[in-house]
Amino acid sequence: FMGWEEVTELVAGGVECQPHTVNHPILTRVDEGRARDEVAGSAREAAARTGRPARAFAYPNGDYDASTLDALRASGISMAFTMRLGPCPAAALRAA
Protein backbone atom coordinates (compact mmCIF):
# COMPACT_ATOMS: atom_id res chain seq x y z
CA PHE A 1 0.00 0.00 0.00
CA MET A 2 1.13 3.53 -0.73
CA GLY A 3 0.17 6.87 0.67
CA TRP A 4 -0.33 10.03 -1.35
CA GLU A 5 3.26 11.10 -0.63
CA GLU A 6 4.57 8.01 -2.43
CA VAL A 7 2.10 8.51 -5.27
CA THR A 8 3.24 12.13 -5.65
CA GLU A 9 6.83 10.95 -5.81
CA LEU A 10 6.04 8.34 -8.46
CA VAL A 11 4.09 10.82 -10.58
CA ALA A 12 6.97 13.31 -10.35
CA GLY A 13 9.20 10.51 -11.67
CA GLY A 14 6.95 9.93 -14.70
CA VAL A 15 4.89 7.00 -13.42
CA GLU A 16 1.14 7.07 -14.09
CA CYS A 17 -0.96 6.38 -10.99
CA GLN A 18 -4.62 5.64 -11.64
CA PRO A 19 -7.65 4.90 -9.42
CA HIS A 20 -8.71 1.63 -7.82
CA THR A 21 -11.77 2.69 -5.66
CA VAL A 22 -12.01 4.72 -2.47
CA ASN A 23 -12.47 1.95 0.11
CA HIS A 24 -11.51 -1.15 -1.91
CA PRO A 25 -14.83 -3.03 -2.00
CA ILE A 26 -15.25 -5.75 -4.59
CA LEU A 27 -17.53 -3.80 -6.91
CA THR A 28 -19.64 -6.78 -7.98
CA ARG A 29 -20.63 -7.30 -4.33
CA VAL A 30 -21.98 -3.79 -3.61
CA ASP A 31 -25.07 -2.02 -4.92
CA GLU A 32 -24.84 0.04 -8.10
CA GLY A 33 -24.92 3.37 -6.24
CA ARG A 34 -22.00 2.47 -4.03
CA ALA A 35 -20.05 1.09 -6.99
CA ARG A 36 -20.57 4.37 -8.87
CA ASP A 37 -19.52 6.38 -5.80
CA GLU A 38 -16.40 4.25 -5.31
CA VAL A 39 -15.32 4.61 -8.94
CA ALA A 40 -16.21 8.30 -9.29
CA GLY A 41 -14.71 9.24 -5.93
CA SER A 42 -11.44 7.48 -6.63
CA ALA A 43 -11.22 9.00 -10.12
CA ARG A 44 -11.77 12.52 -8.73
CA GLU A 45 -9.27 12.00 -5.91
CA ALA A 46 -6.59 10.52 -8.16
CA ALA A 47 -6.96 13.35 -10.67
CA ALA A 48 -6.88 16.00 -7.93
CA ARG A 49 -3.84 14.47 -6.21
CA THR A 50 -1.81 13.75 -9.36
CA GLY A 51 -2.88 16.64 -11.56
CA ARG A 52 -3.56 14.13 -14.34
CA PRO A 53 -6.87 12.80 -15.65
CA ALA A 54 -8.10 9.42 -14.45
CA ARG A 55 -8.28 7.30 -17.61
CA ALA A 56 -7.53 3.78 -16.36
CA PHE A 57 -8.82 1.68 -13.50
CA ALA A 58 -7.83 -1.53 -11.70
CA TYR A 59 -10.76 -3.66 -10.55
CA PRO A 60 -10.46 -4.73 -6.90
CA ASN A 61 -10.00 -8.51 -6.97
CA GLY A 62 -10.24 -8.27 -10.76
CA ASP A 63 -14.04 -8.59 -10.68
CA TYR A 64 -16.43 -6.58 -12.84
CA ASP A 65 -19.91 -6.80 -14.30
CA ALA A 66 -22.21 -4.67 -16.47
CA SER A 67 -22.97 -2.17 -13.69
CA THR A 68 -19.25 -1.80 -12.97
CA LEU A 69 -18.62 -1.03 -16.63
CA ASP A 70 -21.41 1.56 -16.53
CA ALA A 71 -19.80 3.19 -13.47
CA LEU A 72 -16.46 3.40 -15.28
CA ARG A 73 -18.03 4.93 -18.38
CA ALA A 74 -19.91 7.48 -16.25
CA SER A 75 -16.61 8.51 -14.64
CA GLY A 76 -14.80 8.90 -17.95
CA ILE A 77 -12.60 5.84 -17.45
CA SER A 78 -11.64 4.42 -20.85
CA MET A 79 -9.63 1.33 -19.86
CA ALA A 80 -9.55 -1.09 -16.96
CA PHE A 81 -7.49 -4.00 -15.75
CA THR A 82 -8.58 -7.32 -14.33
CA MET A 83 -6.74 -10.39 -13.08
CA ARG A 84 -8.29 -12.64 -15.73
CA LEU A 85 -5.65 -14.20 -17.93
CA GLY A 86 -5.20 -13.00 -21.50
CA PRO A 87 -6.78 -10.17 -23.46
CA CYS A 88 -10.47 -9.52 -23.00
CA PRO A 89 -12.30 -9.34 -26.35
CA ALA A 90 -14.50 -6.31 -26.89
CA ALA A 91 -17.56 -8.54 -27.35
CA ALA A 92 -17.13 -9.83 -23.79
CA LEU A 93 -17.24 -6.28 -22.46
CA ARG A 94 -20.50 -5.57 -24.24
CA ALA A 95 -22.00 -8.75 -22.80
CA ALA A 96 -20.80 -8.18 -19.22
Side-chain angles (χ1 to χ4, degrees):
F1 293 97
M2 291 186 290
W4 287 112
E5 288 179 18
E6 291 90 357
V7 170
T8 301
E9 205 174 303
L10 286 171
V11 170
V15 176
E16 285 288 330
C17 293
Q18 297 290 307
H20 182 61
T21 65
V22 176
N23 298 299
H24 204 264
I26 296 174
L27 296 173
T28 57
R29 296 183 188 171
V30 298
D31 66 63
E32 288 183 33
R34 178 162 179 212
R36 283 183 182 270
D37 290 346
E38 290 283 340
V39 172
S42 67
R44 279 192 308 272
E45 182 80 6
R49 297 278 191 153
T50 65
R52 297 180 181 180
R55 295 182 294 241
F57 187 84
Y59 299 113
N61 204 45
D63 295 343
Y64 66 93
D65 59 16
S67 66
T68 308
L69 295 174
D70 289 342
L72 294 177
R73 286 185 199 101
S75 293
I77 303 292
S78 59
M79 111 179 57
F81 299 90
T82 183
M83 293 170 32
R84 295 179 184 171
L85 296 177
C88 184
L93 293 178
R94 286 187 209 100

